[in-house]
Amino acid sequence: QSRKKAEMFLVRTDGFSCVREKVTESSLAFTHPSIQQQMLMWKSTPKTVLLLKKPGKHLMEEAKEVASFLYYQEKMNVFVEPDVHDIFARITGFGFVQTFYIQDTCDLHEKVDFVACLGGDGVILHASNLFRGAVPPVVSFNLGSLGFLTSHSFEDYKQDLRQIIHGNNKRDGVYITLRMRLRCEIFRKGKAMPGKVFDILNEVVVDRGSNPYLSKIECYEHDRLITKVQGDGVIIATPTGSTAYSTAAGGSMVHPNVPCMLFTPICPHSLSFRPVILPDSAQLELKIPEDARSNAWVSFDGKKRQQLSRGDSVRISMSQHPLPTVNKFDQTGDWFHSLIRCLNWNERLDQKAL
Amino acid sequence: QSRKKAEMFLVRTDGFSCVREKVTESSLAFTHPSIQQQMLMWKSTPKTVLLLKKPGKHLMEEAKEVASFLYYQEKMNVFVEPDVHDIFARITGFGFVQTFYIQDTCDLHEKVDFVACLGGDGVILHASNLFRGAVPPVVSFNLGSLGFLTSHSFEDYKQDLRQIIHGNNKRDGVYITLRMRLRCEIFRKGKAMPGKVFDILNEVVVDRGSNPYLSKIECYEHDRLITKVQGDGVIIATPTGSTAYSTAAGGSMVHPNVPCMLFTPICPHSLSFRPVILPDSAQLELKIPEDARSNAWVSFDGKKRQQLSRGDSVRISMSQHPLPTVNKFDQTGDWFHSLIRCLNWNERLDQKAL
Amino acid sequence: QSRKKAEMFLVRTDGFSCVREKVTESSLAFTHPSIQQQMLMWKSTPKTVLLLKKPGKHLMEEAKEVASFLYYQEKMNVFVEPDVHDIFARITGFGFVQTFYIQDTCDLHEKVDFVACLGGDGVILHASNLFRGAVPPVVSFNLGSLGFLTSHSFEDYKQDLRQIIHGNNKRDGVYITLRMRLRCEIFRKGKAMPGKVFDILNEVVVDRGSNPYLSKIECYEHDRLITKVQGDGVIIATPTGSTAYSTAAGGSMVHPNVPCMLFTPICPHSLSFRPVILPDSAQLELKIPEDARSNAWVSFDGKKRQQLSRGDSVRISMSQHPLPTVNKFDQTGDWFHSLIRCLNWNERLDQKAL
Amino acid sequence: QSRKKAEMFLVRTDGFSCVREKVTESSLAFTHPSIQQQMLMWKSTPKTVLLLKKPGKHLMEEAKEVASFLYYQEKMNVFVEPDVHDIFARITGFGFVQTFYIQDTCDLHEKVDFVACLGGDGVILHASNLFRGAVPPVVSFNLGSLGFLTSHSFEDYKQDLRQIIHGNNKRDGVYITLRMRLRCEIFRKGKAMPGKVFDILNEVVVDRGSNPYLSKIECYEHDRLITKVQGDGVIIATPTGSTAYSTAAGGSMVHPNVPCMLFTPICPHSLSFRPVILPDSAQLELKIPEDARSNAWVSFDGKKRQQLSRGDSVRISMSQHPLPTVNKFDQTGDWFHSLIRCLNWNERLDQKAL
């Protein structure tokens, strides 16, 4: 019985485009995993670096060291933030340090080849916040303060920066992780509010704030009501944010390369309400019903906290502009190291994994 | 300052191939979500159907009805399993029902255009088990018994089957979900054991069985030790399996379109051991150490339970051959319906979402 | 070898007194479970009832029915709250309904033999709030709105009230549950703040309110630092409150007869922070450190929300005055009924326990 | 209005006895917490000690040291287990060490004033197992291996043993914790099986063993069906056992002085099935239904694993005979120390509580 099977097409639609593929031998198969290691290679040598650090006078000695190294040894243009520039301006021998207008960061991306951060995860969140559109590659050096995203230790900064600039001898490039961000937009009575657009790296949270009780939040996906949350609130997190607030609320820890969003309720009234993981193509809307008993609060990466009134909503979808971070080893190695280092993940006294 | 930024390449490697892309305007961006709605369209009308049902005499009346409809109305070749064929053979007017040799199912895929299932999720797991390589599209009708994968109710079987065969008027096709399966292989002392390869749809479990205690299971990803599990065991689940055993062990519920694997410990000794979600490119190995105090057990989709001795391991990676299921509505609509129907997800007495 | 063993004493101290007991045959044993069924029997027939209901005009018809029954049939004095009294005063034939001064409820307990509540758990929380010292037995009738504490349904109110007043023929009494309350007191810089004493029935919560982050809360037991909580906050709950907010935060469900306090963190940063159950003799203090980054909020049974400044603390210990509730059946029967009714505890579609 | 309120009685029943108390001023109050610090004082000096240690040749040096100290310095009779006695018998100078017949341990309690353990929690579980009836006070010295119950470190053994024997100068006694045990009995078709009675210190577990699925376990309290468990199994734990297997399955950590039993499901199918804490007066029965699809397994403190057939059940209630452990400090101090030491409870890197 060697009849030919019915031939088929597979039509893929992602909201942006629509592709019709013929299916070889009527056999629906995956040709490769959707998820890939990614390596950054420069075509021309990078010339300009933005050096970010914790605000105030913290870590000035380290900042001076790194700035000198990048300028004198690597012949790079070194930019810092305006308030840090004020400090540098008073120090002899650092006239080479440049700055920019904080009011106008929209062309910052066009100047900067990569960003070097000194400090913890907060500095990377700040970098995410500076770049609303495309973000240059970010390398982050921790100085004792533990961070999930800061995989490089300060001790090796010279070697690590040289690898980023010139490539690793063996590989000609450095591994990077493209960290998905979420584009969040506040709507009032269905209309976008001007200036209320945020690209977040960790999570957007709608919670009851100082109200004793939370009204039900209506949750829509592509305009379809999927559930109502009653409890302390709801977290929509990226994989990068999965190990932050979402984990505290009971969410799973998600590898940054998994293209998804975490929908994690905070102290839900319903015992059967579990965290849910949605595709990166999800278009979510969290809405305060018109008949809600009280207002709610929204915050973006733990900042810019503001009230949501009845009828307000936040729309959330994948941002086109990820934040690329430079890996110390590779994506999976760095991530498991961070889990163990920052969260004591599966640590027992007699057990030293990795 | 309108200098050109350093240009860059992005090299993507997925273990199968390696692609070097120039990055437009040095701006690392996502061009579209990784995850897509998929629609099945026939180029030629399907001719052959495999009709599966719960084993034994259950649901024979329904099977007769569907077989007659497909043969007399839709002029299709109707196949059933050999033991069901034995029953049909004794019923007048069902001589048209064909069967195959159960010993030799490797060419079954080449005959069958699609599979129609009657019963619960168990019948779909059975279908997954019949097709080791490529799996034809599967449509499943529930008859009261609730199932996560059985989105079609039996009442509408004529209309639903017609849509699958001829396409929906509006869309010319039907939405399908390509459900990732995991290829699992048992190794003894580092050597593949003959015949010990399984493609699972829900989960592979390594547990302590009837031993009072479990020795530590060593977990490797791409040959790197990532952790040791001490507890009752560990579950590696697909997104499809995320709402089965993995949820009972505390895992999140993952939309079937998210390309990932769930790593969910069962009653881990360590309080900080949370479920972890890994990319679909992960290459896992769960190994019983040589110095383990006792053996362990492995099972595949809850079946084929067998012992793992000291030094044995199971290697797990994405199967090339997903199981395509036909959706009733679309992927996300079906999935949230199933969550609410099967798990009382977020049900409160006063609350009827969807 | 029949030598006499060393004889021993067991000295029990509970902070109130100290008892030295000789141990019979040097055998340390429990003579009986610590926990007991308790039955209420009147020596003389009760004469006065306080009838409470949801505020406003809700349930006035039911209140009239019950008031008439208690006055005309049972010859009892019927008291209501002042604002409800205003409504009754305008209705012909209800001149018999009495009231009290809301400013002075401290002698209310001396007048009232028992309290009858109409409505949900909120009415019982209100009753708890009216009686700062001793609380008369409370019977609660639900009217559709589901409540954990409202085990009696309104339909049977005549029969149930008669049993409370005259006793059950078979038993001469009715089963009651003595529900532990917690005495909470706010301290500023180590000094008790006047008027800041609360007896709570469900839980006291210290949380971050609308602050983005919570400073570490220091937790003391008998003046000893036991832990610091970092997260959204901490709940100290009674067994009665264990099925309310504490369960949403991951706490266990505790039978109301277990003499204990629940210490349940809300979204703790540390993955290994599990809910802890402490003896009823615990003397807890939750303190905002002097060097905290921000204030915190405290609320008592979800009410009387107020800020805690740096250096402020809340001291929590068992109140001497429990709230006695009348059971429909007995303590354990009522409780499991409530679990299933209110929380869908362990409900699967095919499963009807009890 | 100074009328006398109705006077009332409170009748307390605990299954053993029934007490009728007049309620003072009709005010239902707690006179003191149910839970108390307990101190052990000898009336006459103890004369006989049982010295237990890990089986085999482990810790023989330490055992020799302690035996010599107790015999030569404290003039006590020193008993060891028969197999350890065999080893002592071959060592010069240890002729004073006595033993007993392992077949007949029922009068062991009458000889032994207290028990000294060397090793981890396993040795205390073994001690619990030796004494089916009353258990003498147990002091346990850890030697590096961390244990929850072993609060004394070996370094201070002389001082600690002297305090147990002669009392603390300040207090004349030592604090002890009476650790509740559970009396478990296997029934077949409703009849007690001879020899199948176990007093457990940690937990009794009914699980699916090596069966792929568990039939529903019926759970009764005082002969009333309270729920059916479907999943991997169910744990009934003491407060002492709450930090062992029950915590791994999601149960709360319960202070050993709280008189209760923990009912903790293992990977339950139902999402709303939370751990439940019942009074110490509970009389539980876990039953394999006659129509179950497969057998189940039961184990007692992780030992004596055996099958339960259809119709079999385990009845569980508080044992009259607790296991008294000597505290290093006092009950609460020891317990929080153990939490932090053994479970990394709420450990964050920057945080050293206690």
Side-chain angles (χ1 to χ4, degrees):
Chain A
Q1 195 172 16
S2 65
R3 74 164 196 95
K4 288 280 283 291
K5 284 184 62 173
E7 289 183 279
M8 58 174 95
F9 295 107
L10 189 63
V11 184
R12 296 175 190 272
T13 80
D14 59 9
F16 291 73
S17 61
C18 184
V19 182
R20 195 169 80 159
E21 302 170 12
K22 200 175 160 310
V23 179
T24 315
E25 298 190 24
S26 299
S27 170
L28 290 160
F30 290 135
T31 52
H32 56 71
S34 70
I35 291 160
Q36 309 173 337
Q37 289 281 5
Q38 286 155 333
M39 188 182 284
L40 171 72
M41 288 171 57
W42 301 106
K43 199 172 162 191
S44 54
T45 306
K47 284 274 168 262
T48 305
V49 65
L50 172 63
L51 180 63
L52 295 179
K53 65 170 204 61
K54 281 171 84 170
K57 306 203 166 174
H58 297 285
L59 306 182
M60 267 312 291
E61 285 313 305
E62 289 82 358
K64 282 161 63 182
E65 223 181 304
V66 174
S68 298
F69 171 78
L70 288 168
Y71 181 73
Y72 291 110
Q73 308 268 320
E74 298 295 333
K75 314 297 179 201
M76 292 193 75
N77 305 311
V78 178
F79 280 76
V80 300
E81 289 190 278
D83 61 333
V84 178
H85 188 254
D86 290 350
I87 304 177
F88 269 115
R90 278 177 249 126
I91 308 175
T92 317
F94 285 88
F96 65 84
V97 173
Q98 306 178 49
T99 192
F100 55 90
Y101 289 109
I102 196 71
Q103 291 86 343
D104 182 19
T105 60
C106 60
D107 67 342
L108 194 57
H109 168 258
E110 289 163 34
K111 284 187 205 140
V112 172
D113 289 317
F114 71 88
V115 182
C117 295
L118 302 178
D121 289 355
V123 183
I124 298 187
L125 286 173
H126 180 62
S128 170
N129 199 29
L130 273 180
F131 295 92
R132 293 301 170 84
V135 191
V138 174
V139 60
S140 178
F141 297 95
N142 70 66
L143 289 120
S145 60
L146 291 170
F148 230 90
L149 303 171
T150 53
S151 41
H152 294 68
S153 74
F154 184 70
E155 299 169 12
D156 303 325
Y157 79 89
K158 286 187 188 174
Q159 179 194 323
D160 290 342
L161 285 171
R162 264 191 221 114
Q163 281 196 9
I164 292 159
I165 297 165
H166 306 290
N168 184 321
N169 289 340
K170 297 183 220 142
R171 297 183 304 226
D172 289 330
V174 287
Y175 283 120
I176 57 169
T177 301
L178 293 186
R179 294 181 179 274
M180 176 183 153
R181 301 197 294 175
L182 293 173
R183 165 66 50 106
C184 306
E185 205 169 353
I186 301 183
F187 281 71
R188 173 149 295 166
K189 316 271 179 212
K191 277 194 188 162
M193 291 179 68
K196 298 290 191 183
V197 182
F198 308 91
D199 277 355
I200 60 99
L201 183 62
N202 270 348
E203 75 278 294
V204 51
V205 179
V206 175
D207 64 31
R208 61 178 172 84
S210 53
N211 297 315
Y213 297 110
L214 183 69
S215 291
K216 282 176 195 165
I217 304 174
E218 295 174 352
C219 306
Y220 298 84
E221 201 278 312
H222 273 100
D223 298 326
R224 177 165 41 192
L225 181 64
I226 52 172
T227 192
K228 297 178 186 180
V229 178
Q230 196 168 18
D232 277 3
V234 64
I235 302 165
I236 309 297
T238 64
T240 295
S242 73
T243 44
Y245 190 17
S246 173
T247 302
S252 291
M253 302 189 294
V254 181
H255 190 284
N257 271 17
V258 178
C260 67
M261 302 179 197
L262 292 88
F263 181 102
T264 308
I266 310 172
C267 297
H269 285 198
S270 161
L271 290 194
S272 59
F273 203 152
R274 289 293 179 84
V276 167
I277 294 176
L278 296 170
D280 62 356
S281 56
Q283 306 260 4
L284 293 173
E285 181 167 12
L286 305 178
K287 190 173 174 185
I288 314 306
E290 291 285 355
D291 61 348
R293 283 199 299 172
S294 59
N295 294 338
W297 292 77
V298 63
S299 60
F300 304 93
D301 281 343
K303 298 262 163 94
K304 301 198 175 84
R305 208 168 159 75
Q306 50 200 283
Q307 270 201 299
L308 290 180
S309 304
R310 292 170 185 84
D312 288 1
S313 67
V314 193
R315 294 193 190 164
I316 300 149
S317 57
M318 187 182 76
S319 164
Q320 258 191 283
H321 302 294
L323 184 132
T325 54
V326 175
N327 297 308
K328 178 72 182 178
F329 302 108
D330 65 16
Q331 296 167 4
T332 299
D334 281 20
W335 191 64
F336 278 105
H337 262 113
S338 294
L339 282 188
I340 291 165
R341 201 181 57 214
C342 298
L343 295 176
N344 289 331
W345 185 63
N346 189 24
E347 274 297 79
R348 291 275 289 181
L349 294 145
D350 56 345
Q351 179 171 348
K352 294 285 167 234
L354 272 178
Chain B
Q1 195 174 14
S2 67
R3 74 165 196 93
K4 288 279 281 291
K5 283 184 61 172
E7 289 183 280
M8 57 173 98
F9 295 107
L10 190 64
V11 183
R12 298 175 190 273
T13 80
D14 60 9
F16 290 74
S17 61
C18 184
V19 183
R20 195 170 80 160
E21 302 170 12
K22 203 176 158 310
V23 178
T24 314
E25 299 190 23
S26 300
S27 170
L28 291 161
F30 290 135
T31 51
H32 56 70
S34 69
I35 291 159
Q36 309 172 337
Q37 289 279 6
Q38 286 155 333
M39 189 181 284
L40 171 72
M41 290 172 55
W42 302 105
K43 200 172 160 190
S44 54
T45 305
K47 284 274 167 263
T48 305
V49 66
L50 173 63
L51 181 62
L52 295 179
K53 67 169 204 61
K54 281 172 86 170
K57 305 203 167 174
H58 297 285
L59 306 181
M60 267 312 291
E61 284 314 303
E62 288 82 359
K64 282 161 62 183
E65 223 182 306
V66 173
S68 298
F69 170 77
L70 288 167
Y71 182 72
Y72 291 110
Q73 309 266 321
E74 299 294 334
K75 315 297 180 203
M76 292 193 76
N77 305 310
V78 178
F79 281 76
V80 300
E81 290 190 278
D83 60 334
V84 178
H85 188 254
D86 290 350
I87 304 176
F88 269 116
R90 279 176 249 126
I91 308 175
T92 317
F94 285 88
F96 65 83
V97 173
Q98 307 176 49
T99 191
F100 54 90
Y101 288 107
I102 196 71
Q103 290 85 343
D104 182 18
T105 60
C106 61
D107 66 342
L108 193 58
H109 169 258
E110 288 163 35
K111 286 188 202 139
V112 171
D113 289 318
F114 71 89
V115 181
C117 295
L118 302 178
D121 289 354
V123 183
I124 297 187
L125 286 173
H126 180 61
S128 169
N129 199 30
L130 273 180
F131 295 91
R132 292 301 169 86
V135 190
V138 174
V139 59
S140 179
F141 297 96
N142 70 66
L143 290 119
S145 61
L146 290 172
F148 230 89
L149 303 170
T150 53
S151 41
H152 294 68
S153 73
F154 184 71
E155 299 170 10
D156 304 324
Y157 79 90
K158 286 187 188 175
Q159 178 193 324
D160 291 341
L161 284 170
R162 265 192 219 113
Q163 282 195 9
I164 292 158
I165 297 166
H166 306 290
N168 184 321
N169 289 341
K170 297 183 219 140
R171 296 183 305 224
D172 288 330
V174 286
Y175 283 119
I176 58 169
T177 300
L178 292 186
R179 294 181 180 274
M180 176 183 151
R181 300 196 295 175
L182 294 173
R183 165 67 49 106
C184 305
E185 204 167 354
I186 301 182
F187 281 70
R188 174 149 295 166
K189 316 277 178 207
K191 278 195 188 162
M193 291 180 68
K196 298 291 191 184
V197 182
F198 308 91
D199 277 355
I200 60 99
L201 183 62
N202 270 348
E203 75 279 293
V204 51
V205 179
V206 175
D207 64 30
R208 61 177 174 84
S210 53
N211 296 315
Y213 297 110
L214 182 70
S215 290
K216 281 175 195 164
I217 303 175
E218 295 173 352
C219 306
Y220 299 84
E221 201 278 312
H222 274 100
D223 298 325
R224 177 165 40 192
L225 181 64
I226 52 171
T227 192
K228 297 177 186 180
V229 178
Q230 196 168 17
D232 277 4
V234 63
I235 302 164
I236 309 297
T238 64
T240 295
S242 72
T243 44
Y245 190 18
S246 173
T247 301
S252 291
M253 302 190 293
V254 182
H255 189 284
N257 271 16
V258 179
C260 68
M261 301 178 197
L262 292 87
F263 181 102
T264 308
I266 310 172
C267 297
H269 285 198
S270 161
L271 290 194
S272 60
F273 203 152
R274 289 292 179 84
V276 167
I277 293 175
L278 296 169
D280 62 356
S281 56
Q283 305 261 3
L284 293 173
E285 181 167 13
L286 306 178
K287 190 174 175 184
I288 315 305
E290 290 286 355
D291 60 348
R293 283 199 299 172
S294 58
N295 294 338
W297 291 77
V298 63
S299 60
F300 304 93
D301 281 343
K303 298 259 163 95
K304 304 198 174 82
R305 207 167 160 76
Q306 50 200 281
Q307 271 201 298
L308 291 180
S309 304
R310 292 168 186 83
D312 288 1
S313 66
V314 193
R315 295 195 190 162
I316 301 149
S317 58
M318 187 182 78
S319 164
Q320 258 190 284
H321 303 294
L323 184 134
T325 54
V326 176
N327 297 308
K328 177 73 182 179
F329 303 107
D330 65 16
Q331 297 167 2
T332 298
D334 281 19
W335 191 65
F336 278 105
H337 262 113
S338 294
L339 282 189
I340 291 165
R341 200 183 58 215
C342 297
L343 294 175
N344 290 330
W345 185 64
N346 189 23
E347 274 296 81
R348 291 275 288 183
L349 294 145
D350 56 344
Q351 178 171 349
K352 293 284 166 234
L354 271 177
Chain C
Q1 195 174 17
S2 67
R3 73 162 196 96
K4 288 280 282 291
K5 285 183 61 171
E7 290 183 280
M8 57 174 98
F9 295 107
L10 190 63
V11 183
R12 297 174 191 271
T13 79
D14 59 10
F16 291 73
S17 62
C18 183
V19 182
R20 195 170 81 160
E21 302 170 11
K22 201 172 159 312
V23 178
T24 315
E25 298 189 25
S26 299
S27 170
L28 290 160
F30 291 135
T31 51
H32 55 71
S34 70
I35 291 160
Q36 308 174 337
Q37 289 280 7
Q38 287 155 332
M39 189 182 283
L40 170 73
M41 289 171 56
W42 301 105
K43 200 172 162 189
S44 55
T45 305
K47 286 271 168 267
T48 304
V49 65
L50 173 63
L51 180 62
L52 295 180
K53 67 171 203 61
K54 280 172 86 172
K57 304 203 165 175
H58 297 285
L59 307 181
M60 267 312 292
E61 284 315 302
E62 289 82 358
K64 282 161 62 182
E65 223 182 302
V66 174
S68 298
F69 171 77
L70 288 168
Y71 181 73
Y72 290 111
Q73 308 267 321
E74 296 296 333
K75 315 296 180 202
M76 292 194 74
N77 305 311
V78 178
F79 281 76
V80 299
E81 289 191 277
D83 60 334
V84 178
H85 188 253
D86 290 350
I87 304 175
F88 269 115
R90 277 176 251 125
I91 308 174
T92 317
F94 284 89
F96 64 85
V97 173
Q98 306 177 49
T99 191
F100 55 91
Y101 289 108
I102 195 71
Q103 291 86 343
D104 182 19
T105 60
C106 60
D107 66 343
L108 194 58
H109 169 258
E110 288 163 34
K111 284 186 202 142
V112 173
D113 289 318
F114 71 89
V115 181
C117 294
L118 302 178
D121 289 354
V123 183
I124 297 187
L125 285 173
H126 181 62
S128 171
N129 200 30
L130 273 180
F131 295 91
R132 294 300 171 84
V135 190
V138 173
V139 60
S140 178
F141 296 96
N142 71 66
L143 289 118
S145 59
L146 289 171
F148 229 89
L149 303 171
T150 53
S151 41
H152 294 69
S153 73
F154 184 70
E155 299 170 11
D156 304 324
Y157 80 88
K158 286 188 188 176
Q159 178 193 323
D160 289 342
L161 285 171
R162 264 192 219 112
Q163 281 195 9
I164 292 158
I165 297 166
H166 306 290
N168 182 323
N169 289 340
K170 297 184 219 142
R171 296 184 304 225
D172 289 330
V174 287
Y175 282 119
I176 57 170
T177 301
L178 293 186
R179 293 182 180 273
M180 176 183 152
R181 301 196 294 175
L182 293 174
R183 165 66 51 107
C184 305
E185 206 167 353
I186 300 182
F187 281 71
R188 174 149 292 168
K189 318 271 178 207
K191 277 194 187 162
M193 291 180 68
K196 298 292 191 182
V197 182
F198 307 91
D199 278 355
I200 59 99
L201 183 62
N202 270 349
E203 75 279 295
V204 52
V205 178
V206 175
D207 64 32
R208 63 178 172 86
S210 52
N211 297 316
Y213 296 111
L214 183 70
S215 290
K216 283 176 192 163
I217 303 175
E218 296 174 350
C219 305
Y220 298 85
E221 200 279 312
H222 273 101
D223 298 325
R224 177 165 40 191
L225 181 63
I226 52 172
T227 192
K228 297 178 186 181
V229 179
Q230 195 168 17
D232 277 3
V234 63
I235 303 165
I236 309 297
T238 64
T240 295
S242 72
T243 44
Y245 191 17
S246 173
T247 301
S252 291
M253 301 189 294
V254 182
H255 189 285
N257 271 17
V258 178
C260 68
M261 301 178 197
L262 291 88
F263 181 102
T264 308
I266 310 172
C267 298
H269 286 198
S270 162
L271 291 193
S272 60
F273 203 152
R274 290 292 179 82
V276 167
I277 294 177
L278 296 169
D280 63 356
S281 56
Q283 306 260 2
L284 294 172
E285 180 167 13
L286 305 179
K287 190 174 174 184
I288 314 306
E290 290 286 355
D291 61 349
R293 282 200 298 172
S294 59
N295 294 338
W297 292 77
V298 63
S299 60
F300 303 93
D301 281 344
K303 299 259 163 98
K304 303 198 175 83
R305 209 166 158 75
Q306 50 200 283
Q307 271 203 300
L308 290 180
S309 304
R310 292 169 185 83
D312 288 2
S313 67
V314 193
R315 295 195 189 161
I316 301 149
S317 57
M318 188 183 77
S319 164
Q320 259 190 284
H321 302 293
L323 183 133
T325 54
V326 176
N327 297 307
K328 177 74 182 179
F329 302 108
D330 65 16
Q331 297 167 2
T332 299
D334 281 18
W335 192 64
F336 277 105
H337 261 113
S338 294
L339 281 189
I340 291 165
R341 201 181 57 214
C342 297
L343 295 176
N344 289 331
W345 185 65
N346 189 22
E347 273 297 80
R348 291 275 286 181
L349 293 146
D350 56 347
Q351 179 170 348
K352 294 283 167 233
L354 271 177
Chain D
Q1 194 172 20
S2 66
R3 75 163 195 95
K4 287 280 281 294
K5 282 183 63 171
E7 290 182 281
M8 57 173 96
F9 295 106
L10 190 63
V11 183
R12 297 175 190 272
T13 80
D14 61 9
F16 291 72
S17 61
C18 183
V19 182
R20 195 169 82 161
E21 302 170 12
K22 200 173 161 310
V23 177
T24 315
E25 298 189 25
S26 300
S27 169
L28 290 161
F30 290 135
T31 52
H32 57 70
S34 70
I35 291 161
Q36 308 174 338
Q37 289 281 7
Q38 285 155 334
M39 188 182 284
L40 170 73
M41 290 171 56
W42 301 105
K43 200 172 161 191
S44 55
T45 305
K47 285 274 167 262
T48 304
V49 66
L50 173 63
L51 181 62
L52 295 180
K53 68 172 202 60
K54 281 172 86 171
K57 304 202 166 176
H58 297 285
L59 305 182
M60 267 311 293
E61 285 314 303
E62 289 81 358
K64 283 160 62 182
E65 223 182 303
V66 174
S68 298
F69 170 76
L70 288 168
Y71 181 73
Y72 291 111
Q73 309 266 321
E74 297 295 334
K75 313 299 177 201
M76 292 192 75
N77 305 311
V78 178
F79 281 75
V80 299
E81 289 190 277
D83 60 334
V84 178
H85 188 253
D86 289 349
I87 304 176
F88 270 116
R90 279 176 249 127
I91 308 174
T92 317
F94 285 88
F96 64 85
V97 172
Q98 306 177 49
T99 192
F100 54 90
Y101 289 108
I102 197 71
Q103 292 84 344
D104 182 18
T105 60
C106 60
D107 67 342
L108 194 58
H109 169 259
E110 288 163 35
K111 283 186 204 141
V112 172
D113 289 317
F114 71 89
V115 181
C117 295
L118 301 179
D121 289 355
V123 183
I124 297 187
L125 286 173
H126 181 62
S128 170
N129 200 30
L130 273 180
F131 295 91
R132 294 300 170 84
V135 190
V138 173
V139 60
S140 178
F141 297 95
N142 70 66
L143 288 120
S145 60
L146 290 171
F148 229 91
L149 303 170
T150 53
S151 41
H152 294 68
S153 73
F154 184 70
E155 299 169 11
D156 303 325
Y157 80 88
K158 287 187 190 177
Q159 179 194 323
D160 290 342
L161 285 171
R162 263 191 222 113
Q163 281 195 11
I164 293 158
I165 298 165
H166 305 290
N168 183 322
N169 289 342
K170 297 184 219 139
R171 295 183 306 224
D172 289 330
V174 286
Y175 283 119
I176 57 170
T177 301
L178 293 186
R179 294 181 180 274
M180 175 182 153
R181 300 197 294 175
L182 293 174
R183 166 66 51 107
C184 304
E185 206 167 354
I186 300 182
F187 282 70
R188 174 149 294 167
K189 317 273 178 207
K191 276 195 188 161
M193 290 179 68
K196 297 292 191 182
V197 182
F198 308 90
D199 278 354
I200 59 99
L201 183 62
N202 270 349
E203 75 278 296
V204 51
V205 179
V206 175
D207 63 31
R208 63 178 171 86
S210 52
N211 297 315
Y213 297 110
L214 183 70
S215 291
K216 282 176 193 163
I217 304 174
E218 295 174 352
C219 306
Y220 298 84
E221 202 278 311
H222 273 101
D223 298 326
R224 176 165 41 190
L225 181 63
I226 52 172
T227 192
K228 296 177 186 181
V229 178
Q230 195 168 17
D232 277 4
V234 64
I235 303 165
I236 309 296
T238 64
T240 295
S242 71
T243 44
Y245 191 18
S246 173
T247 300
S252 291
M253 302 190 292
V254 182
H255 190 284
N257 270 16
V258 178
C260 68
M261 300 178 199
L262 292 88
F263 181 101
T264 307
I266 309 172
C267 297
H269 286 197
S270 161
L271 291 194
S272 61
F273 203 152
R274 290 293 179 82
V276 167
I277 294 177
L278 296 169
D280 64 355
S281 56
Q283 307 259 3
L284 293 172
E285 181 166 14
L286 305 178
K287 191 174 175 183
I288 314 305
E290 290 285 355
D291 61 349
R293 283 199 298 170
S294 59
N295 293 338
W297 292 76
V298 63
S299 61
F300 304 93
D301 281 343
K303 299 259 163 97
K304 304 197 175 83
R305 209 166 160 75
Q306 51 201 283
Q307 271 203 299
L308 291 180
S309 304
R310 293 171 184 82
D312 288 1
S313 67
V314 193
R315 294 194 190 161
I316 301 149
S317 57
M318 188 182 77
S319 164
Q320 257 189 286
H321 302 294
L323 183 134
T325 54
V326 176
N327 297 308
K328 178 74 182 178
F329 303 108
D330 64 17
Q331 297 168 0
T332 299
D334 281 19
W335 192 64
F336 277 105
H337 262 113
S338 295
L339 281 188
I340 291 165
R341 202 181 56 214
C342 297
L343 295 176
N344 289 331
W345 185 65
N346 189 24
E347 274 296 80
R348 290 275 287 180
L349 293 146
D350 56 345
Q351 178 170 347
K352 293 283 168 233
L354 268 177

